[in-house]
Amino acid sequence: MAAIGFDPHDHSACISSTLRQAETYCAEHKLKLTPIRRRALEILLAEHRALGAYDLLSHFAAEGLGSAPPVAYRALDFLTSAGFAHKIEGLNAYIACAHLGSDHAPAFLICTACKSVAEAETEASDGRLGAAARAAGFQIDRIVVEALGLCPTCQDAA
Amino acid sequence: MAAIGFDPHDHSACISSTLRQAETYCAEHKLKLTPIRRRALEILLAEHRALGAYDLLSHFAAEGLGSAPPVAYRALDFLTSAGFAHKIEGLNAYIACAHLGSDHAPAFLICTACKSVAEAETEASDGRLGAAARAAGFQIDRIVVEALGLCPTCQDAA
DNA sequence: GTCGTTGATGTTATGATATAACAATGGAGT
DNA sequence: ACTCCATTGTTATATCATAACATCAACGAC
């Protein structure tokens, strides 16, 4: 389980690299990474934490892009459908995917204090829950695995 | 992983038995299962599916209990803190606990069509996520594991 | 007993999250 | 040039949740 964690790292490199991957993916799958969608992804990548739809929207507004809620929700829908971003249910917030390219069932460690998020790839709960689902005849569309708590930094601050 | 699933069963028996367990637990832990809290639990148990706070509230209103949102949210806060109910993050809804008594990390199979919910006890993701968390120095307060999809009945209906 | 504390409830108002519905635009393919 | 259809713009509204403060009842200290 490779976790991209709470350690500092080179943001600008991971931003540009992820954007390139997203462009490639869109080209291959006939999806359109329009300016507003691309900008949404850039913002999520730059923040590197979970942002609410309205947080994203105020970035848009500040930049002269659309400022009504559907603008943000549509961009987020696109990004999440394409797998470029994930919704953090426990925070009603959204974050750029940290494992673009791998078809994964994400699991998150979420700091409720600073809203930073570590994304881990999981097969575990897929396996167990998947087994329970098969036994029950349940058809899984989406899996949510989130651990809410405090990151090392916020523990120290407390 | 024992799942209480989508099969029919004796509701009235599981309602009264769970209420008795809740009463016992409250007595032991000096918690007050006040009329409105008790009624909230009864309603959740009777519905046997995820209810929104405002769904619960309309039951209250119909019965002459408080009808302002905080009434429902306070009852739900109490029930979830005590472990008598769980929040389903994927639906912004609440459901009675199906494993009262065991100190568990719940996992859910959630039908997005009819909102019925199967609760399974999980150790799996606790183990994996817990390991990742320890490695990262992350302090887990709460774990959310939810599989969203279609129950057997709603698959047939589709 | 009565006083003060504490926790529960009632109530108003507001904040935060999300979507419905429809109009306008603009590019891709013919 | 035209049509189709996805995208975007915009208004309005639905849905979920909490802040803040008043009231009230239970209970222990004295």
Side-chain angles (χ1 to χ4, degrees):
Chain A
M1 189 183 240
I4 292 186
F6 299 107
D7 311 315
H9 62 287
D10 184 341
H11 281 310
S12 66
C14 79
I15 292 174
S16 57
S17 133
T18 304
L19 280 172
R20 259 181 280 113
Q21 287 182 264
E23 282 164 2
T24 304
Y25 182 92
C26 285
E28 285 169 357
H29 293 75
K30 302 194 192 301
L31 297 174
K32 290 190 222 172
L33 191 62
T34 61
I36 205 162
R37 291 168 175 176
R38 186 192 161 93
R39 187 71 194 120
L41 181 53
E42 285 175 2
I43 291 166
L44 289 179
L45 285 165
E47 293 278 345
H48 203 264
R49 64 191 175 93
L51 284 189
Y54 283 72
D55 295 332
L56 181 60
L57 195 59
S58 49
H59 277 86
F60 285 168
E63 299 173 10
L65 299 166
S67 61
V71 174
Y73 284 101
R74 283 171 187 153
L76 290 168
D77 283 350
F78 173 83
L79 296 178
T80 53
S81 305
F84 300 162
H86 302 294
K87 179 171 187 183
I88 305 296
E89 295 289 348
L91 296 176
N92 292 318
Y94 305 82
I95 191 162
C97 176
H99 296 109
L100 245 193
S102 62
D103 188 10
H104 58 299
F108 300 99
L109 298 176
I110 301 154
C111 179
T112 49
C114 68
K115 300 200 177 176
S116 67
V117 175
E119 178 178 352
E121 300 192 58
T122 178
E123 323 85 47
S125 67
D126 196 5
R128 299 275 299 202
L129 255 194
R134 274 189 297 280
F138 185 91
Q139 172 197 316
I140 294 179
D141 293 332
R142 187 164 74 100
I143 290 188
V144 176
V145 178
E146 301 176 0
L148 300 159
L150 292 177
C151 72
T153 305
C154 290
Q155 285 172 52
D156 293 345
Chain B
M1 189 183 245
I4 292 186
F6 299 108
D7 311 316
H9 63 286
D10 184 342
H11 280 312
S12 66
C14 79
I15 292 174
S16 57
S17 132
T18 304
L19 280 171
R20 258 180 281 113
Q21 287 181 266
E23 281 163 3
T24 303
Y25 182 92
C26 285
E28 285 169 356
H29 292 77
K30 301 194 193 300
L31 296 173
K32 291 189 219 174
L33 191 61
T34 61
I36 204 161
R37 291 169 175 175
R38 187 192 161 93
R39 187 70 196 118
L41 181 53
E42 285 174 3
I43 291 166
L44 289 179
L45 286 164
E47 293 278 344
H48 203 265
R49 64 191 176 92
L51 283 189
Y54 282 71
D55 294 333
L56 181 61
L57 196 59
S58 48
H59 277 86
F60 285 168
E63 298 172 12
L65 299 167
S67 61
V71 174
Y73 283 101
R74 282 172 188 151
L76 290 168
D77 283 349
F78 173 83
L79 296 178
T80 52
S81 305
F84 301 162
H86 302 294
K87 179 171 187 183
I88 305 296
E89 296 288 349
L91 296 177
N92 293 317
Y94 304 83
I95 191 162
C97 177
H99 297 110
L100 245 194
S102 64
D103 188 11
H104 58 299
F108 301 99
L109 299 176
I110 302 154
C111 180
T112 48
C114 68
K115 300 199 178 179
S116 67
V117 175
E119 179 177 351
E121 300 191 58
T122 178
E123 323 84 48
S125 68
D126 196 4
R128 298 276 299 205
L129 256 194
R134 274 189 297 281
F138 185 91
Q139 171 197 317
I140 294 180
D141 293 330
R142 188 164 72 99
I143 290 189
V144 176
V145 179
E146 303 177 0
L148 300 159
L150 293 177
C151 72
T153 304
C154 290
Q155 284 172 54
D156 293 345

